[in-house]
């Protein structure tokens, strides 16, 4: 048995924390300063983590390699398994042009560009985040806005800022699932706290969006539908994450938010021509005037309806229990780790959710989607492998980052940093969202930031007497606000709207919003750690 050490460097917690931070510093410097590709930075960071674990923390080499392998396997299944299958569904709709029909359908809901921004960037973007995440909402929504006549820069900024509130539950709850896995906390406990933080962002973001689109006039004239949309989204996300399923939180919120928006009479009024002339400075796509047959419109919406139905069925207690029987729980080979007190860690046992995982459910929905929208089986399989090829570097990035996180967690490096950070005391609650924000800003992924810093947050919370669930959730909730300034997302946005090389312009426009909303989240988490907002926690 390998027993973790907290102070392997000269018996000093401070020096040990500096050495333990080397893998994280390596990744952040390579990404932020050197601007190395994320998958290469992740692999180099993994090598540094393994070296520190083996040479400094005295973790046997075999167990070091085994812990990295466990992280990589978790990165592949269930994490990237969800992303691959979700993007596969999207690719099939593009192949059959049903995605174009969906885009035209959105354009006809309202001719007011401020309402269109809410429908496309906030509501549909949240649905895309729920199904795929990893940059897909920004790429797809910004293209749709440009087709509706938005200026490319404005379209990219709106898509980036909108991609906040749903991120923590994106890709079928992947970030919170990862957070629960690396911290050892129950998924329901983590999801319920996140669901009492990010909905507060949802109240604000729609108002920010209409302000970005049309300034003070936009706020003055469309604050009612924006507030209705945000409030409905927030309530649905809270209810789903706390009482239904973390995997369904964003799907439910997106649909309820869109329903509330459409239900507001003000949202369906034609926009004044001065508004359209001032906002729609781009070139409107000519195909928006095409008429689509009602059956084809229904088929365009079918993939998303199928996913909602299948995931809802999977939450029925009898079905949920039946699916869980297929879970494979086993002792991970060549791994026998104990914490500093000598108690075996949870990482010694690995659970492989073969059928109940979100990725398998999306795969089932994808099979039905292929039938409904008319994709031949051969073409569907070809599109699946094309999706894997498209995501090959993202797959390598996620697996390497999660392997790094598992090595740091199981060797004791994360525990050392957590004990050191706990010295911040009460101020830790205020600073914890900043750590998640920083992690997402450099990695582009809330999942990766949770894998890197989740266990550290929990350790720090335990040492400072704060709620582990609160700080773990704060890592994810703060992280969502780093998404809009991450180089990965900025590059995706620029490439989507034809602004290659202008990432700096977008960064300057979204950075104030990212920092301002982060301050709000820091105050929320600090308040929840005290009697001021402590009543909000479960």
């Amino acid at each position: 048995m390998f027993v973790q050490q907290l102070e392997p460097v000269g018996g000093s917690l401070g020096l040990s924390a500096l050495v333990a931070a080397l893998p994280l510093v390596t990744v952040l410097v390579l990404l932020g300063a050197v601007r190395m590709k994320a998958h290469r930075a992740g692999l180099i960071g993994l090598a540094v983590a393994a070296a520190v674990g083996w040479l400094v923390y005295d973790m046997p080499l075999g167990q070091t390699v085994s812990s990295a392998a466990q992280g990589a396997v978790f990165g592949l299944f269930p994490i990237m398994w969800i992303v691959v299958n979700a993007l596969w569904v999207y690719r099939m709709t593009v192949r059959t042009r049903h995605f174009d029909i969906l885009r035209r359908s959105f354009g006809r809901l309202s001719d007011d560009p401020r309402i269109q921004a809410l429908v496309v960037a906030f509501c549909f973007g949240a649905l895309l985040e729920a199904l795929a995440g990893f940059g897909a909402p920004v790429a797809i929504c910004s293209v749709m806005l440009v087709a509706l006549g938005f200026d490319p820069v404005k379209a990219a900024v709106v898509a980036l800022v909108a991609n906040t509130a749903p991120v923590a539950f994106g890709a079928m709850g992947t970030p919170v699932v990862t957070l629960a896995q690396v911290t050892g906390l129950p998924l329901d406990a983590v999801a319920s706290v996140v669901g009492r933080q990010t909905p507060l962002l949802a109240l604000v973001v729609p108002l920010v969006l209409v302000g970005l689109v049309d300034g003070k006039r936009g706020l003055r004239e469309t604050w009612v539908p924006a507030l209705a949309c945000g409030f409905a989204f927030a309530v649905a996300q809270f209810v789903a994450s706390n009482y239904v399923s973390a995997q369904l939180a964003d799907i439910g919120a997106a649909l309820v938010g869109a329903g509330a928006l459409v239900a507001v009479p003000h949202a369906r009024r034609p926009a004044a021509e001065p508004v359209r002339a001032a906002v729609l400075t781009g070139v409107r796509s000519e195909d928006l005037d095409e008429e689509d047959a009602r059956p084809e419109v229904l088929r365009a919406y079918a993939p998303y309806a199928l996913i909602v139905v299948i995931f809802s069925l999977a939450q029925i207690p009898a079905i949920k229990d039946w699916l869980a029987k297929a879970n494979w729980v086993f002792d991970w080979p060549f791994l026998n780790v104990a914490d500093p007190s000598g108690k075996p860690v949870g990482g010694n046992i690995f659970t492989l959710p073969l059928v109940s995982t979100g990725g398998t459910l999306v795969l089932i929905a994808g099979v039905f989607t292929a039938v409904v929208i008319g994709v031949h089986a051969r073409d569907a399989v070809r599109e699946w492998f094309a999706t894997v090829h498209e995501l090959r570097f993202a797959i390598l990035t996620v697996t390497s980052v999660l392997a790094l996180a598992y090595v740091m967690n199981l060797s004791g490096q994360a525990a050392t940093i957590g004990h050191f950070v706990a010295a911040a005391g009460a101020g830790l609650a205020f600073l914890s969202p900043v750590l998640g924000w920083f992690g997402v800003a450099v990695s582009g992924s809330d999942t990766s930031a949770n894998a890197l810093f989740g266990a550290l947050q929990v350790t720090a919370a335990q040492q400072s007497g704060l709620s582990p669930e609160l700080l773990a959730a704060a890592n994810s909730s703060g992280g969502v606000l780093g998404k809009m300034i991450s180089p990965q997302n900025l590059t995706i946005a620029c490439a989507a709207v034809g602004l290659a090389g202008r990432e700096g312009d977008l960064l300057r426009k979204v950075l104030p919003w990212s920092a301002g909303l982060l301050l709000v989240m820091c105050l929320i988490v600090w308040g929840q750690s005290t009697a001021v907002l402590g009543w909000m926690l479960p």
Side-chain angles (χ1 to χ4, degrees):
M1 177 177 285
F2 164 68
V3 180
Q4 297 173 345
Q5 307 174 63
L6 289 178
E7 303 174 347
V9 182
S12 168
L13 184 61
L15 291 175
S16 299
L18 285 175
V19 175
L22 284 176
L24 295 178
V25 172
T26 299
V27 173
L28 299 181
V29 169
L30 291 177
L31 285 174
V34 181
R35 297 186 179 181
M36 182 180 288
K37 297 290 186 182
H39 63 279
R40 294 176 181 170
L43 290 171
I44 293 173
L46 170 60
V48 174
V52 172
W54 177 36
L55 300 175
V56 179
Y57 280 77
D58 295 328
M59 188 180 199
L61 183 59
Q63 296 208 48
T64 303
V65 173
S66 181
S67 61
Q70 185 180 141
V73 168
F74 182 70
L76 288 173
F77 194 99
I79 302 305
M80 291 308 298
W81 180 238
I82 298 173
V83 179
V84 166
N85 290 320
L87 284 179
W88 171 56
V89 173
Y90 163 70
R91 284 179 63 103
M92 287 193 293
T93 65
V94 171
R95 181 185 183 92
T96 59
R97 297 191 178 278
H98 283 93
F99 183 76
D100 292 333
I101 297 173
L102 187 69
R103 175 171 55 82
R104 288 193 289 269
S105 175
F106 285 165
R108 295 189 190 102
L109 288 176
S110 173
D111 73 342
D112 190 327
R114 300 163 299 191
I115 302 302
Q116 290 174 346
L118 294 177
V119 172
V120 173
F122 188 71
C123 297
F124 186 59
L127 184 61
L128 291 173
E129 182 66 37
L131 302 179
F134 292 89
V138 170
I140 296 168
C141 292
S142 56
V143 169
M144 290 178 72
L145 290 174
V146 169
L148 290 170
F150 279 69
D151 172 75
V153 173
K154 184 170 289 187
V157 170
V158 168
L160 285 165
V161 174
N163 192 218
T164 49
V167 168
F169 296 104
M172 296 301 178
T174 297
V176 291
V177 169
T178 302
L179 186 61
Q181 180 77 13
V182 300
T183 59
L185 298 173
L187 173 59
D188 291 342
V190 174
S192 65
V193 179
V194 175
R196 295 162 193 250
Q197 294 171 344
T198 56
L200 299 176
L201 292 176
L203 294 172
V204 179
V205 171
L207 296 170
V208 173
L209 294 179
V210 296
L212 284 171
V213 171
D214 195 28
K216 293 180 180 179
R217 178 177 58 186
L219 281 171
R220 185 174 63 252
E221 297 181 358
T222 56
W223 68 269
V224 173
L227 196 58
C229 177
F231 181 78
F233 185 102
V235 171
Q237 192 181 63
F238 163 74
V239 171
S241 60
N242 277 266
Y243 305 110
V244 183
S245 165
Q247 287 87 347
L248 290 175
D250 278 350
I251 293 178
L255 297 177
V256 172
L261 179 61
V262 174
V264 177
H266 185 83
R268 298 194 299 275
R269 295 175 189 165
E273 191 55 40
V275 173
R276 291 181 54 80
V279 176
L280 300 181
T281 55
V283 179
R284 188 170 180 266
S285 178
E286 295 179 0
D287 72 347
L288 289 175
D289 296 325
E290 291 184 20
E291 289 295 329
D292 297 306
R294 184 176 295 273
E296 291 303 309
V297 174
L298 293 176
R299 292 171 75 188
Y301 282 91
Y304 310 102
L306 284 168
I307 289 174
V308 172
V309 169
I310 289 173
F311 270 81
S312 299
L313 290 175
Q315 299 307 312
I316 297 174
I319 298 177
K320 190 174 183 179
D321 293 340
W322 179 71
L323 292 175
K325 291 179 180 178
N327 290 353
W328 185 18
V329 182
F330 58 95
D331 291 330
W332 188 260
F334 310 111
L335 198 64
N336 189 11
V337 180
D339 63 23
S341 66
K343 180 182 177 181
V345 300
N348 293 329
I349 299 174
F350 192 75
T351 301
L352 205 59
L354 299 173
V355 182
S356 60
T357 186
T360 302
L361 297 179
V362 174
L363 178 66
I364 295 170
V367 172
F368 284 109
T369 293
V371 174
V372 170
I373 66 176
V375 179
H376 191 277
R378 188 190 313 107
D379 294 330
V381 172
R382 187 180 295 116
E383 286 294 338
W384 191 90
F385 282 103
T387 303
V388 173
H389 183 265
E390 179 184 339
L391 290 173
R392 62 192 184 281
F393 293 121
I395 292 171
L396 186 55
T397 299
V398 170
T399 53
S400 61
V401 168
L402 279 160
L404 179 156
Y406 270 59
V407 170
M408 290 190 65
N409 293 341
L410 291 171
S411 67
Q413 296 171 59
T416 296
I417 298 173
H419 280 73
F420 181 74
V421 172
L428 181 61
F430 181 84
L431 295 174
S432 58
V434 179
L435 195 59
W437 174 82
F438 188 65
V440 176
V442 297
S443 70
S445 165
D446 201 37
T447 298
S448 296
N450 285 343
L452 287 171
F453 299 131
L456 185 155
Q457 296 267 23
V458 168
T459 303
Q462 293 169 339
Q463 293 302 308
S464 58
L466 295 170
S467 164
E469 291 81 4
L470 175 62
L471 294 202
N475 192 83
S476 193
S477 298
V480 307
L481 299 169
K483 190 92 169 176
M484 69 179 83
I485 64 169
S486 71
Q488 173 183 309
N489 253 23
L490 291 170
T491 301
I492 289 172
C494 285
V497 299
L499 296 173
R502 295 184 59 184
E503 289 84 357
D505 294 340
L506 291 187
L507 177 61
R508 285 189 289 274
K509 289 181 178 294
V510 299
L511 182 57
W513 294 109
S514 178
L517 292 172
L518 174 63
L519 176 60
V520 172
M521 182 55 66
C522 289
L523 291 172
I524 290 171
V525 174
W526 173 81
Q528 290 178 335
S529 72
T530 68
V532 177
L533 296 178
W535 53 270
M536 293 180 63
L537 298 180

